Amino acid sequence: MLAIGLSALAAGIVLAVLGVASPRTMRRRLAAKVAALEAYGRTTVSSGPEDQATDGLPPLLARLRAVATVLSPSTVTTSLARRLDVAGNPASWTVEKVLAAKGLGLFATAAVGLLLGLSSPVSALGFAGLGGLAGFFLPDLLLYNTGGKRQAVIRKELPDTLDMLTVCVEAGLGFDAAVAQVGHETKGPLAAEFLRMLHETQLGQSRVETLRALADRTTVAELRAFASALVQAAELGVPTGRVLREQAKEMRVKQRQLAEEKAQKLPVKILFPLMFCIFPALFVVVLGPAAISMFQSFQ
């Protein structure tokens, strides 16, 4: 019985090996894998921004997002994604949520305007239209304001960060190691951008691609020029330390020129507050007693 059992087990193993190794079985398995990959590709393609827009949104907000999408240009998804990149992709801010906020602002402010203009139909329609327009573009304004403040901070931090990056590279660190050092030792949006560029490089992208992506995520002309210079240096084989040194010097010069430009604009900016706020009060204090005395003398 033991011999019969061992013989049956050996025969089963041989048949299993032959079945696995047979060309027909291999073809069937390969066909199944190809079909699974094709099904996954179709799912990925079909689940674009329009199909995934309702993910994570309640039904009401999903409908408001659909209304905002219909009322917006066809490139609204791309433009909002770029604005979110410029703003640093704030926590819990997505393209779908911004569109939902636009739709919610449209109806909410239109209802408020309608209530304010109940005295007459014309005023009700006017207030509702103006309120709906303001509420629809309010999320865009907030997003633009957030991005502008962040880019101003990046412009302010850029010279010091480039000096630190230059010192690290000239001290013997590689460019990626220097970027990591600067990103971990400093705080702020520029450090976050450098760390994101480093993570993209670690995920397999080339340095040229990450630098171009960095330039696309910012509106600061100095940072875009810095990224372009590093891209050209990488393509032409120029030493990175030399490029960083020249870019740091140029950033210092531009920072000084920007400070001088702001100083030259200051007299013009202070002129109107001086004329309409300070001069009238000064005239009242200086000429007021004289005017009172003249008025009393003519009585």
Side-chain angles (χ1 to χ4, degrees):
M1 294 296 293
L2 180 61
I4 294 173
L6 291 176
S7 301
L9 180 62
I13 293 174
V14 171
L15 290 176
V17 171
L18 292 176
V20 171
S22 62
R24 182 176 300 176
T25 306
M26 293 294 294
R27 285 197 295 269
R28 284 201 299 266
R29 293 191 175 187
L30 287 176
K33 291 182 180 180
V34 170
L37 288 175
E38 290 179 353
Y40 176 76
R42 288 192 297 269
T43 305
T44 305
V45 172
S46 63
S47 61
E50 293 80 9
D51 297 325
Q52 294 178 350
T54 59
D55 290 347
L57 291 178
L60 179 59
L61 292 181
R63 293 178 182 177
L64 292 174
R65 182 211 58 80
V67 172
T69 304
V70 171
L71 296 177
S72 302
S74 58
T75 59
V76 62
T77 303
T78 305
S79 61
L80 284 179
R82 182 174 178 349
R83 291 179 189 174
L84 286 172
D85 284 335
V86 171
N89 292 305
S92 71
W93 283 32
T94 60
V95 175
E96 290 77 18
K97 290 183 179 180
V98 173
L99 288 173
K102 288 169 68 70
L104 180 61
L106 172 66
F107 288 103
T109 52
V112 172
L114 188 63
L115 291 176
L116 292 176
L118 287 177
S119 57
S120 66
V122 178
S123 61
L125 290 177
F127 280 119
L130 292 177
L133 190 64
F136 185 76
F137 288 105
L138 181 60
D140 292 329
L141 181 61
L142 294 176
L143 189 59
Y144 178 80
N145 188 29
T146 303
K149 290 181 179 179
R150 186 173 184 271
Q151 298 305 310
V153 175
I154 289 177
R155 181 179 285 109
K156 183 179 179 181
E157 294 176 348
L158 186 58
D160 295 334
T161 304
L162 281 188
D163 287 340
M164 186 181 299
L165 189 62
T166 304
V167 170
C168 291
V169 171
E170 291 183 347
L173 292 178
F175 180 76
D176 294 339
V179 169
Q181 183 72 19
V182 171
H184 290 298
E185 293 296 331
T186 59
K187 303 296 182 181
L190 186 56
E193 289 293 341
F194 278 173
L195 288 178
R196 179 174 176 178
M197 182 179 68
L198 181 63
H199 292 162
E200 291 175 352
T201 304
Q202 293 173 350
L203 289 175
Q205 295 186 4
S206 65
R207 182 182 299 178
V208 174
E209 293 176 348
T210 56
L211 287 171
R212 287 174 178 169
L214 174 64
D216 292 336
R217 292 194 303 268
T218 183
T219 58
V220 180
E222 293 84 357
L223 184 56
R224 295 173 68 92
F226 165 72
S228 299
L230 287 181
V231 168
Q232 293 179 0
E235 292 177 347
L236 298 177
V238 180
T240 306
R242 185 188 307 172
V243 175
L244 290 175
R245 173 63 64 183
E246 294 300 325
Q247 287 294 316
K249 291 180 181 179
E250 186 177 355
M251 293 300 167
R252 288 296 179 186
V253 173
K254 288 185 177 180
Q255 188 182 35
R256 189 180 303 110
Q257 292 176 349
L258 183 61
E260 293 176 354
E261 180 182 357
K262 290 182 178 180
Q264 293 295 330
K265 291 180 179 179
L266 185 61
V268 180
K269 291 181 178 180
I270 205 174
L271 178 62
F272 294 100
L274 189 66
M275 291 177 58
F276 294 105
C277 298
I278 298 179
F279 281 170
L282 185 63
F283 289 155
V284 169
V285 172
V286 174
L287 300 179
I292 294 173
S293 300
M294 292 176 60
F295 179 75
Q296 292 177 352
S297 64
F298 281 111
Q299 285 182 349

